[in-house]
Amino acid sequence: MPESPGRKPSVLFVCVHNAGRSQMAAAWLTHLAGDRVEVRSAGSDPGDQINPAAVEAMAEVGIDISQETPKILTVDAVRESDVCITMGCGDTCPVFPGKRYLDWRLDDPAGQGVGAVRPIRDEIKTLVEGLIAEIAPSKPETTA
């Protein structure tokens, strides 16, 4: 993905309720990439709150998503993102030319206990690590 010098890539994670998968993915990307990537998440039909099992599963790995809230997917969020990653929301994500779209097929953690959410959390981490390696690899520090 060609990037302008000095401009960080932006990623939007989208799932139906923005209460589990997309929130965990956004948290992993923020945690692992730091300020190298701009991160957004949204849902096509946002829930009322973050899935408590997702909050617990992420807390087990030292990431707090308890203060996050589900957000509605907007055309602007898609337009402002370089990469849009959907997770089981079908064709609800608006499509713009020049954007990269990925679909991560992940089990839905809705209504699941933390035991069922852990493997989803771990799969998301692996996918996010691959994404970071592609769009925002660490660069060795150089001195002028």
Side-chain angles (χ1 to χ4, degrees):
M1 181 171 74
E3 290 298 327
S4 308
R7 183 181 170 281
K8 59 181 156 186
S10 59
V11 176
L12 170 65
F13 294 102
V14 182
C15 67
V16 176
H17 300 298
N18 190 224
R21 294 167 289 187
S22 57
Q23 291 284 353
M24 289 190 289
W28 273 124
L29 184 54
T30 299
H31 179 77
L32 296 170
D35 63 0
R36 296 194 324 260
V37 178
E38 186 178 340
V39 182
R40 298 179 182 88
S41 72
S44 54
D45 183 19
D48 295 328
Q49 66 180 20
I50 301 298
N51 179 336
V55 172
E56 185 178 345
M58 293 303 286
E60 290 176 354
V61 295
I63 300 173
D64 181 7
I65 62 170
S66 64
Q67 300 304 307
E68 298 297 328
T69 55
K71 295 168 277 309
I72 186 74
L73 176 64
T74 66
V75 170
D76 286 342
V78 177
R79 185 181 294 122
E80 294 167 8
S81 300
D82 298 310
V83 181
C84 299
I85 299 174
T86 57
M87 303 170 172
C89 61
D91 297 328
T92 59
C93 194
V95 175
F96 291 96
K99 304 288 177 199
R100 180 167 175 208
Y101 294 87
L102 300 172
D103 185 41
W104 290 355
R105 300 193 182 277
L106 299 160
D107 291 335
D108 189 348
Q112 303 291 321
V114 71
V117 175
R118 284 184 192 113
I120 300 167
R121 172 202 66 200
D122 296 344
E123 185 177 358
I124 290 170
K125 179 184 181 195
T126 299
L127 290 165
V128 166
E129 288 171 334
L131 180 69
I132 292 168
E134 188 178 328
I135 68 168
S138 305
K139 294 186 176 109
E141 294 297 319
T142 57
T143 55

mmCIF file of all heavy atoms in Angstrom, residues 103-144:
data_model
loop_
_atom_site.group_PDB
_atom_site.id
_atom_site.type_symbol
_atom_site.label_atom_id
_atom_site.label_comp_id
_atom_site.label_asym_id
_atom_site.label_seq_id
_atom_site.Cartn_x
_atom_site.Cartn_y
_atom_site.Cartn_z
ATOM 1 N N ASP A 103 -11.724 -9.166 4.468
ATOM 2 C CA ASP A 103 -12.780 -9.771 5.275
ATOM 3 C C ASP A 103 -12.136 -10.864 6.118
ATOM 4 O O ASP A 103 -11.616 -11.838 5.579
ATOM 5 C CB ASP A 103 -13.885 -10.349 4.392
ATOM 6 C CG ASP A 103 -15.051 -10.874 5.226
ATOM 7 O OD1 ASP A 103 -15.423 -10.207 6.219
ATOM 8 O OD2 ASP A 103 -15.585 -11.946 4.890
ATOM 9 N N TRP A 104 -12.148 -10.660 7.424
ATOM 10 C CA TRP A 104 -11.617 -11.654 8.349
ATOM 11 C C TRP A 104 -12.787 -12.477 8.849
ATOM 12 O O TRP A 104 -13.666 -11.965 9.534
ATOM 13 C CB TRP A 104 -10.899 -10.992 9.519
ATOM 14 C CG TRP A 104 -9.601 -10.320 9.154
ATOM 15 C CD1 TRP A 104 -8.970 -10.328 7.942
ATOM 16 C CD2 TRP A 104 -8.777 -9.545 10.014
ATOM 17 N NE1 TRP A 104 -7.810 -9.610 8.009
ATOM 18 C CE2 TRP A 104 -7.652 -9.117 9.270
ATOM 19 C CE3 TRP A 104 -8.868 -9.161 11.347
ATOM 20 C CZ2 TRP A 104 -6.643 -8.331 9.818
ATOM 21 C CZ3 TRP A 104 -7.865 -8.382 11.891
ATOM 22 C CH2 TRP A 104 -6.756 -7.970 11.132
ATOM 23 N N ARG A 105 -12.813 -13.750 8.502
ATOM 24 C CA ARG A 105 -13.892 -14.639 8.922
ATOM 25 C C ARG A 105 -13.573 -15.178 10.308
ATOM 26 O O ARG A 105 -12.732 -16.052 10.463
ATOM 27 C CB ARG A 105 -14.071 -15.759 7.912
ATOM 28 C CG ARG A 105 -14.427 -15.199 6.540
ATOM 29 C CD ARG A 105 -14.928 -16.264 5.596
ATOM 30 N NE ARG A 105 -15.203 -15.697 4.289
ATOM 31 C CZ ARG A 105 -16.325 -15.068 3.960
ATOM 32 N NH1 ARG A 105 -17.257 -14.918 4.845
ATOM 33 N NH2 ARG A 105 -16.499 -14.593 2.741
ATOM 34 N N LEU A 106 -14.248 -14.611 11.282
ATOM 35 C CA LEU A 106 -14.031 -14.960 12.683
ATOM 36 C C LEU A 106 -15.364 -15.341 13.323
ATOM 37 O O LEU A 106 -16.403 -14.782 12.972
ATOM 38 C CB LEU A 106 -13.456 -13.754 13.441
ATOM 39 C CG LEU A 106 -12.110 -13.233 12.963
ATOM 40 C CD1 LEU A 106 -11.892 -11.806 13.427
ATOM 41 C CD2 LEU A 106 -11.000 -14.133 13.474
ATOM 42 N N ASP A 107 -15.320 -16.273 14.267
ATOM 43 C CA ASP A 107 -16.528 -16.616 15.001
ATOM 44 C C ASP A 107 -17.025 -15.382 15.743
ATOM 45 O O ASP A 107 -16.241 -14.536 16.180
ATOM 46 C CB ASP A 107 -16.251 -17.740 16.008
ATOM 47 C CG ASP A 107 -15.959 -19.062 15.322
ATOM 48 O OD1 ASP A 107 -16.407 -19.251 14.170
ATOM 49 O OD2 ASP A 107 -15.290 -19.907 15.942
ATOM 50 N N ASP A 108 -18.341 -15.299 15.916
ATOM 51 C CA ASP A 108 -18.952 -14.179 16.619
ATOM 52 C C ASP A 108 -18.940 -14.477 18.120
ATOM 53 O O ASP A 108 -19.490 -15.490 18.547
ATOM 54 C CB ASP A 108 -20.393 -13.989 16.120
ATOM 55 C CG ASP A 108 -21.036 -12.719 16.646
ATOM 56 O OD1 ASP A 108 -20.478 -12.091 17.578
ATOM 57 O OD2 ASP A 108 -22.103 -12.363 16.134
ATOM 58 N N PRO A 109 -18.328 -13.602 18.921
ATOM 59 C CA PRO A 109 -18.287 -13.845 20.360
ATOM 60 C C PRO A 109 -19.586 -13.488 21.090
ATOM 61 O O PRO A 109 -19.696 -13.735 22.290
ATOM 62 C CB PRO A 109 -17.135 -12.956 20.837
ATOM 63 C CG PRO A 109 -17.091 -11.845 19.853
ATOM 64 C CD PRO A 109 -17.528 -12.441 18.533
ATOM 65 N N ALA A 110 -20.569 -12.942 20.392
ATOM 66 C CA ALA A 110 -21.823 -12.535 21.044
ATOM 67 C C ALA A 110 -22.455 -13.720 21.767
ATOM 68 O O ALA A 110 -22.611 -14.796 21.204
ATOM 69 C CB ALA A 110 -22.797 -11.962 20.019
ATOM 70 N N GLY A 111 -22.784 -13.509 23.023
ATOM 71 C CA GLY A 111 -23.445 -14.537 23.813
ATOM 72 C C GLY A 111 -22.541 -15.666 24.279
ATOM 73 O O GLY A 111 -23.002 -16.621 24.895
ATOM 74 N N GLN A 112 -21.248 -15.568 23.984
ATOM 75 C CA GLN A 112 -20.289 -16.611 24.363
ATOM 76 C C GLN A 112 -19.610 -16.249 25.685
ATOM 77 O O GLN A 112 -19.457 -15.080 26.017
ATOM 78 C CB GLN A 112 -19.202 -16.750 23.279
ATOM 79 C CG GLN A 112 -19.710 -17.050 21.903
ATOM 80 C CD GLN A 112 -20.293 -18.452 21.802
ATOM 81 O OE1 GLN A 112 -19.779 -19.390 22.367
ATOM 82 N NE2 GLN A 112 -21.392 -18.569 21.078
ATOM 83 N N GLY A 113 -19.156 -17.262 26.393
ATOM 84 C CA GLY A 113 -18.368 -17.043 27.593
ATOM 85 C C GLY A 113 -16.925 -16.754 27.230
ATOM 86 O O GLY A 113 -16.508 -16.914 26.076
ATOM 87 N N VAL A 114 -16.149 -16.357 28.235
ATOM 88 C CA VAL A 114 -14.756 -15.988 27.979
ATOM 89 C C VAL A 114 -13.949 -17.160 27.418
ATOM 90 O O VAL A 114 -13.039 -16.970 26.620
ATOM 91 C CB VAL A 114 -14.099 -15.372 29.241
ATOM 92 C CG1 VAL A 114 -13.859 -16.427 30.318
ATOM 93 C CG2 VAL A 114 -12.808 -14.646 28.882
ATOM 94 N N GLY A 115 -14.304 -18.377 27.782
ATOM 95 C CA GLY A 115 -13.598 -19.544 27.249
ATOM 96 C C GLY A 115 -13.713 -19.645 25.744
ATOM 97 O O GLY A 115 -12.772 -20.049 25.059
ATOM 98 N N ALA A 116 -14.872 -19.284 25.193
ATOM 99 C CA ALA A 116 -15.069 -19.310 23.741
ATOM 100 C C ALA A 116 -14.458 -18.085 23.074
ATOM 101 O O ALA A 116 -14.130 -18.122 21.888
ATOM 102 C CB ALA A 116 -16.561 -19.390 23.424
ATOM 103 N N VAL A 117 -14.298 -16.994 23.817
ATOM 104 C CA VAL A 117 -13.777 -15.751 23.248
ATOM 105 C C VAL A 117 -12.249 -15.772 23.157
ATOM 106 O O VAL A 117 -11.683 -15.183 22.240
ATOM 107 C CB VAL A 117 -14.275 -14.531 24.063
ATOM 108 C CG1 VAL A 117 -13.641 -13.240 23.572
ATOM 109 C CG2 VAL A 117 -15.800 -14.434 23.967
ATOM 110 N N ARG A 118 -11.582 -16.477 24.045
ATOM 111 C CA ARG A 118 -10.104 -16.500 24.032
ATOM 112 C C ARG A 118 -9.524 -16.905 22.681
ATOM 113 O O ARG A 118 -8.610 -16.233 22.187
ATOM 114 C CB ARG A 118 -9.579 -17.429 25.128
ATOM 115 C CG ARG A 118 -9.654 -16.846 26.497
ATOM 116 C CD ARG A 118 -9.020 -17.776 27.539
ATOM 117 N NE ARG A 118 -9.378 -17.310 28.860
ATOM 118 C CZ ARG A 118 -10.162 -17.988 29.700
ATOM 119 N NH1 ARG A 118 -10.635 -19.175 29.383
ATOM 120 N NH2 ARG A 118 -10.443 -17.485 30.888
ATOM 121 N N PRO A 119 -9.999 -18.007 22.044
ATOM 122 C CA PRO A 119 -9.411 -18.363 20.743
ATOM 123 C C PRO A 119 -9.677 -17.301 19.672
ATOM 124 O O PRO A 119 -8.840 -17.088 18.791
ATOM 125 C CB PRO A 119 -10.077 -19.687 20.373
ATOM 126 C CG PRO A 119 -10.879 -20.124 21.543
ATOM 127 C CD PRO A 119 -10.938 -19.000 22.526
ATOM 128 N N ILE A 120 -10.813 -16.620 19.750
ATOM 129 C CA ILE A 120 -11.115 -15.535 18.797
ATOM 130 C C ILE A 120 -10.128 -14.396 19.034
ATOM 131 O O ILE A 120 -9.542 -13.852 18.091
ATOM 132 C CB ILE A 120 -12.573 -15.055 18.957
ATOM 133 C CG1 ILE A 120 -13.552 -16.206 18.709
ATOM 134 C CG2 ILE A 120 -12.862 -13.878 18.019
ATOM 135 C CD1 ILE A 120 -14.993 -15.911 19.140
ATOM 136 N N ARG A 121 -9.924 -14.043 20.302
ATOM 137 C CA ARG A 121 -8.960 -12.990 20.666
ATOM 138 C C ARG A 121 -7.579 -13.319 20.117
ATOM 139 O O ARG A 121 -6.913 -12.462 19.527
ATOM 140 C CB ARG A 121 -8.913 -12.878 22.200
ATOM 141 C CG ARG A 121 -7.813 -11.966 22.729
ATOM 142 C CD ARG A 121 -7.450 -12.267 24.165
ATOM 143 N NE ARG A 121 -6.838 -13.587 24.295
ATOM 144 C CZ ARG A 121 -6.778 -14.271 25.440
ATOM 145 N NH1 ARG A 121 -7.317 -13.790 26.548
ATOM 146 N NH2 ARG A 121 -6.184 -15.456 25.479
ATOM 147 N N ASP A 122 -7.157 -14.566 20.286
ATOM 148 C CA ASP A 122 -5.817 -14.966 19.849
ATOM 149 C C ASP A 122 -5.700 -14.985 18.326
ATOM 150 O O ASP A 122 -4.665 -14.606 17.770
ATOM 151 C CB ASP A 122 -5.461 -16.330 20.443
ATOM 152 C CG ASP A 122 -5.375 -16.290 21.976
ATOM 153 O OD1 ASP A 122 -5.279 -15.178 22.543
ATOM 154 O OD2 ASP A 122 -5.420 -17.373 22.591
ATOM 155 N N GLU A 123 -6.777 -15.397 17.645
ATOM 156 C CA GLU A 123 -6.770 -15.380 16.176
ATOM 157 C C GLU A 123 -6.692 -13.947 15.661
ATOM 158 O O GLU A 123 -5.967 -13.642 14.711
ATOM 159 C CB GLU A 123 -8.017 -16.089 15.638
ATOM 160 C CG GLU A 123 -8.018 -16.223 14.130
ATOM 161 C CD GLU A 123 -9.220 -16.989 13.591
ATOM 162 O OE1 GLU A 123 -10.053 -17.469 14.385
ATOM 163 O OE2 GLU A 123 -9.319 -17.097 12.360
ATOM 164 N N ILE A 124 -7.423 -13.045 16.308
ATOM 165 C CA ILE A 124 -7.386 -11.630 15.919
ATOM 166 C C ILE A 124 -5.974 -11.078 16.100
ATOM 167 O O ILE A 124 -5.464 -10.361 15.236
ATOM 168 C CB ILE A 124 -8.424 -10.809 16.720
ATOM 169 C CG1 ILE A 124 -9.843 -11.179 16.270
ATOM 170 C CG2 ILE A 124 -8.175 -9.314 16.556
ATOM 171 C CD1 ILE A 124 -10.941 -10.603 17.154
ATOM 172 N N LYS A 125 -5.314 -11.433 17.210
ATOM 173 C CA LYS A 125 -3.947 -10.944 17.438
ATOM 174 C C LYS A 125 -3.033 -11.369 16.290
ATOM 175 O O LYS A 125 -2.255 -10.562 15.775
ATOM 176 C CB LYS A 125 -3.396 -11.455 18.761
ATOM 177 C CG LYS A 125 -1.974 -10.972 19.013
ATOM 178 C CD LYS A 125 -1.376 -11.555 20.277
ATOM 179 C CE LYS A 125 0.036 -10.998 20.460
ATOM 180 N NZ LYS A 125 0.791 -11.770 21.438
ATOM 181 N N THR A 126 -3.134 -12.621 15.882
ATOM 182 C CA THR A 126 -2.299 -13.131 14.786
ATOM 183 C C THR A 126 -2.566 -12.364 13.497
ATOM 184 O O THR A 126 -1.634 -11.973 12.778
ATOM 185 C CB THR A 126 -2.554 -14.640 14.594
ATOM 186 O OG1 THR A 126 -2.212 -15.318 15.804
ATOM 187 C CG2 THR A 126 -1.732 -15.199 13.443
ATOM 188 N N LEU A 127 -3.843 -12.125 13.191
ATOM 189 C CA LEU A 127 -4.204 -11.375 11.979
ATOM 190 C C LEU A 127 -3.684 -9.941 12.055
ATOM 191 O O LEU A 127 -3.167 -9.399 11.069
ATOM 192 C CB LEU A 127 -5.720 -11.384 11.781
ATOM 193 C CG LEU A 127 -6.328 -12.734 11.389
ATOM 194 C CD1 LEU A 127 -7.840 -12.724 11.566
ATOM 195 C CD2 LEU A 127 -5.959 -13.097 9.957
ATOM 196 N N VAL A 128 -3.814 -9.310 13.219
ATOM 197 C CA VAL A 128 -3.346 -7.932 13.399
ATOM 198 C C VAL A 128 -1.824 -7.862 13.255
ATOM 199 O O VAL A 128 -1.297 -6.939 12.627
ATOM 200 C CB VAL A 128 -3.821 -7.358 14.756
ATOM 201 C CG1 VAL A 128 -3.069 -6.077 15.113
ATOM 202 C CG2 VAL A 128 -5.324 -7.102 14.713
ATOM 203 N N GLU A 129 -1.107 -8.842 13.800
ATOM 204 C CA GLU A 129 0.355 -8.849 13.655
ATOM 205 C C GLU A 129 0.754 -8.914 12.180
ATOM 206 O O GLU A 129 1.685 -8.225 11.751
ATOM 207 C CB GLU A 129 0.958 -10.020 14.435
ATOM 208 C CG GLU A 129 0.904 -9.816 15.940
ATOM 209 C CD GLU A 129 1.284 -11.054 16.738
ATOM 210 O OE1 GLU A 129 1.130 -12.190 16.229
ATOM 211 O OE2 GLU A 129 1.721 -10.883 17.879
ATOM 212 N N GLY A 130 0.047 -9.726 11.397
ATOM 213 C CA GLY A 130 0.318 -9.804 9.962
ATOM 214 C C GLY A 130 0.018 -8.488 9.265
ATOM 215 O O GLY A 130 0.761 -8.052 8.379
ATOM 216 N N LEU A 131 -1.074 -7.839 9.659
ATOM 217 C CA LEU A 131 -1.445 -6.545 9.084
ATOM 218 C C LEU A 131 -0.374 -5.492 9.382
ATOM 219 O O LEU A 131 0.047 -4.749 8.494
ATOM 220 C CB LEU A 131 -2.803 -6.100 9.638
ATOM 221 C CG LEU A 131 -3.315 -4.763 9.136
ATOM 222 C CD1 LEU A 131 -3.696 -4.833 7.656
ATOM 223 C CD2 LEU A 131 -4.513 -4.310 9.965
ATOM 224 N N ILE A 132 0.089 -5.450 10.619
ATOM 225 C CA ILE A 132 1.121 -4.477 11.003
ATOM 226 C C ILE A 132 2.386 -4.690 10.181
ATOM 227 O O ILE A 132 2.986 -3.733 9.690
ATOM 228 C CB ILE A 132 1.443 -4.573 12.508
ATOM 229 C CG1 ILE A 132 0.251 -4.103 13.333
ATOM 230 C CG2 ILE A 132 2.693 -3.756 12.850
ATOM 231 C CD1 ILE A 132 0.370 -4.427 14.812
ATOM 232 N N ALA A 133 2.793 -5.945 10.028
ATOM 233 C CA ALA A 133 4.006 -6.244 9.258
ATOM 234 C C ALA A 133 3.892 -5.724 7.833
ATOM 235 O O ALA A 133 4.883 -5.326 7.213
ATOM 236 C CB ALA A 133 4.263 -7.749 9.259
ATOM 237 N N GLU A 134 2.666 -5.699 7.321
ATOM 238 C CA GLU A 134 2.437 -5.268 5.945
ATOM 239 C C GLU A 134 2.318 -3.753 5.803
ATOM 240 O O GLU A 134 2.885 -3.162 4.900
ATOM 241 C CB GLU A 134 1.155 -5.934 5.447
ATOM 242 C CG GLU A 134 0.903 -5.725 3.987
ATOM 243 C CD GLU A 134 -0.355 -6.455 3.544
ATOM 244 O OE1 GLU A 134 -0.675 -7.514 4.106
ATOM 245 O OE2 GLU A 134 -1.011 -5.933 2.644
ATOM 246 N N ILE A 135 1.546 -3.108 6.697
ATOM 247 C CA ILE A 135 1.236 -1.684 6.499
ATOM 248 C C ILE A 135 2.069 -0.733 7.337
ATOM 249 O O ILE A 135 2.156 0.445 7.016
ATOM 250 C CB ILE A 135 -0.256 -1.368 6.707
ATOM 251 C CG1 ILE A 135 -0.660 -1.539 8.185
ATOM 252 C CG2 ILE A 135 -1.128 -2.199 5.774
ATOM 253 C CD1 ILE A 135 -2.021 -0.964 8.507
ATOM 254 N N ALA A 136 2.643 -1.228 8.456
ATOM 255 C CA ALA A 136 3.386 -0.321 9.340
ATOM 256 C C ALA A 136 4.529 -1.054 10.024
ATOM 257 O O ALA A 136 4.608 -1.097 11.245
ATOM 258 C CB ALA A 136 2.440 0.288 10.372
ATOM 259 N N PRO A 137 5.428 -1.650 9.231
ATOM 260 C CA PRO A 137 6.543 -2.370 9.858
ATOM 261 C C PRO A 137 7.423 -1.413 10.650
ATOM 262 O O PRO A 137 7.502 -0.228 10.346
ATOM 263 C CB PRO A 137 7.290 -2.969 8.666
ATOM 264 C CG PRO A 137 6.909 -2.122 7.502
ATOM 265 C CD PRO A 137 5.522 -1.613 7.785
ATOM 266 N N SER A 138 8.033 -1.953 11.685
ATOM 267 C CA SER A 138 8.978 -1.141 12.455
ATOM 268 C C SER A 138 10.142 -0.779 11.561
ATOM 269 O O SER A 138 10.628 -1.601 10.803
ATOM 270 C CB SER A 138 9.512 -1.927 13.654
ATOM 271 O OG SER A 138 8.464 -2.383 14.433
ATOM 272 N N LYS A 139 10.569 0.445 11.651
ATOM 273 C CA LYS A 139 11.722 0.874 10.875
ATOM 274 C C LYS A 139 12.875 1.089 11.837
ATOM 275 O O LYS A 139 12.698 1.678 12.893
ATOM 276 C CB LYS A 139 11.395 2.174 10.129
ATOM 277 C CG LYS A 139 10.332 1.970 9.090
ATOM 278 C CD LYS A 139 10.120 3.218 8.277
ATOM 279 C CE LYS A 139 9.112 2.936 7.191
ATOM 280 N NZ LYS A 139 7.842 3.564 7.395
ATOM 281 N N PRO A 140 14.067 0.635 11.466
ATOM 282 C CA PRO A 140 15.208 0.900 12.348
ATOM 283 C C PRO A 140 15.447 2.402 12.447
ATOM 284 O O PRO A 140 15.258 3.136 11.486
ATOM 285 C CB PRO A 140 16.381 0.188 11.662
ATOM 286 C CG PRO A 140 15.923 -0.136 10.278
ATOM 287 C CD PRO A 140 14.423 -0.089 10.266
ATOM 288 N N GLU A 141 15.810 2.810 13.643
ATOM 289 C CA GLU A 141 16.085 4.237 13.859
ATOM 290 C C GLU A 141 17.322 4.635 13.061
ATOM 291 O O GLU A 141 18.321 3.928 13.052
ATOM 292 C CB GLU A 141 16.308 4.514 15.341
ATOM 293 C CG GLU A 141 15.073 4.288 16.201
ATOM 294 C CD GLU A 141 13.929 5.223 15.844
ATOM 295 O OE1 GLU A 141 14.182 6.402 15.601
ATOM 296 O OE2 GLU A 141 12.788 4.749 15.811
ATOM 297 N N THR A 142 17.240 5.762 12.396
ATOM 298 C CA THR A 142 18.400 6.263 11.661
ATOM 299 C C THR A 142 18.747 7.641 12.210
ATOM 300 O O THR A 142 17.886 8.382 12.653
ATOM 301 C CB THR A 142 18.094 6.375 10.151
ATOM 302 O OG1 THR A 142 16.968 7.222 9.975
ATOM 303 C CG2 THR A 142 17.820 5.020 9.550
ATOM 304 N N THR A 143 20.006 7.958 12.150
ATOM 305 C CA THR A 143 20.436 9.280 12.599
ATOM 306 C C THR A 143 20.942 10.051 11.392
ATOM 307 O O THR A 143 21.581 9.493 10.514
ATOM 308 C CB THR A 143 21.528 9.169 13.680
ATOM 309 O OG1 THR A 143 22.587 8.374 13.180
ATOM 310 C CG2 THR A 143 20.984 8.562 14.963
ATOM 311 N N ALA A 144 20.622 11.318 11.383
ATOM 312 C CA ALA A 144 21.024 12.149 10.242
ATOM 313 C C ALA A 144 22.429 12.649 10.411
ATOM 314 O O ALA A 144 22.927 12.802 11.473
ATOM 315 C CB ALA A 144 20.073 13.323 10.092
#
